[in-house]
Amino acid sequence: MGIIKINNIKLYAYHGCLEEEAKIGSDYRVDVAIKADLKKSAQSDVLAHTVDYVHLNHIVKQEMAIRSELLEVVAQRILDRFFQELSMIQKAKVSVSKINPPMGGNVEEVVIILTKKR
């Protein structure tokens, strides 16, 4: 078993419950960690034998572009797509962070973390 991580995927999106969030948008960060059997790819040096992190990043970008009120929904969509499209994944963790959320205070970020396993 091995782990593939993609850290600090930076995106601009329009998630949130407030009307201004739908209009103005905000900065987001997504971190991904997946567990899969990487023994074969570690020996073969063949992309088809591993989880393509370009594909993971593509899924994150597509799902972050779909507006949702709750970050939990976005994170769940990302996880669901990972498991639908990449059969090698055994477990995945997705963190979606809203940078400088409009909370009426000095808050650096709000983070939602979801995990899923086969």
Side-chain angles (χ1 to χ4, degrees):
M1 201 57 65
I3 298 172
I4 296 174
K5 294 173 80 175
I6 305 175
N7 294 323
N8 205 17
I9 302 168
K10 296 177 182 178
L11 302 147
Y12 199 84
Y14 299 86
H15 307 297
C17 297
L18 304 175
E19 270 188 51
E20 62 260 25
E21 291 175 299
K23 294 175 185 173
I24 299 169
S26 186
D27 289 310
Y28 291 83
R29 186 185 78 234
V30 177
D31 299 304
V32 171
I34 64 99
K35 283 189 177 183
D37 185 351
L38 303 179
K39 290 177 196 154
K40 187 173 183 179
S41 62
Q43 297 297 316
S44 72
D45 198 26
V46 174
L47 180 61
H49 296 161
T50 191
V51 177
D52 184 353
Y53 51 80
V54 173
H55 192 162
L56 295 171
N57 187 54
H58 178 73
I59 290 170
V60 168
K61 287 181 177 181
Q62 283 187 330
E63 294 304 325
M64 285 295 292
I66 301 168
R67 178 170 158 61
S68 293
E69 289 192 8
L70 301 178
L71 296 180
E72 292 91 324
V73 173
V74 181
Q76 189 62 56
R77 281 198 319 257
I78 291 168
L79 284 172
D80 290 345
R81 290 256 327 260
F82 283 177
F83 282 85
Q84 288 168 5
E85 297 179 26
L86 299 157
S87 62
M88 286 185 62
I89 295 176
Q90 294 302 311
K91 184 176 182 182
K93 177 171 127 179
V94 174
S95 302
V96 179
S97 305
K98 182 183 282 194
I99 310 302
N100 194 24
M103 295 177 54
N106 188 7
V107 177
E108 182 177 332
E109 64 184 358
V110 173
V111 183
I112 299 300
I113 302 169
L114 294 181
T115 60
K116 182 176 181 175
K117 61 182 175 179
R118 256 186 234 287

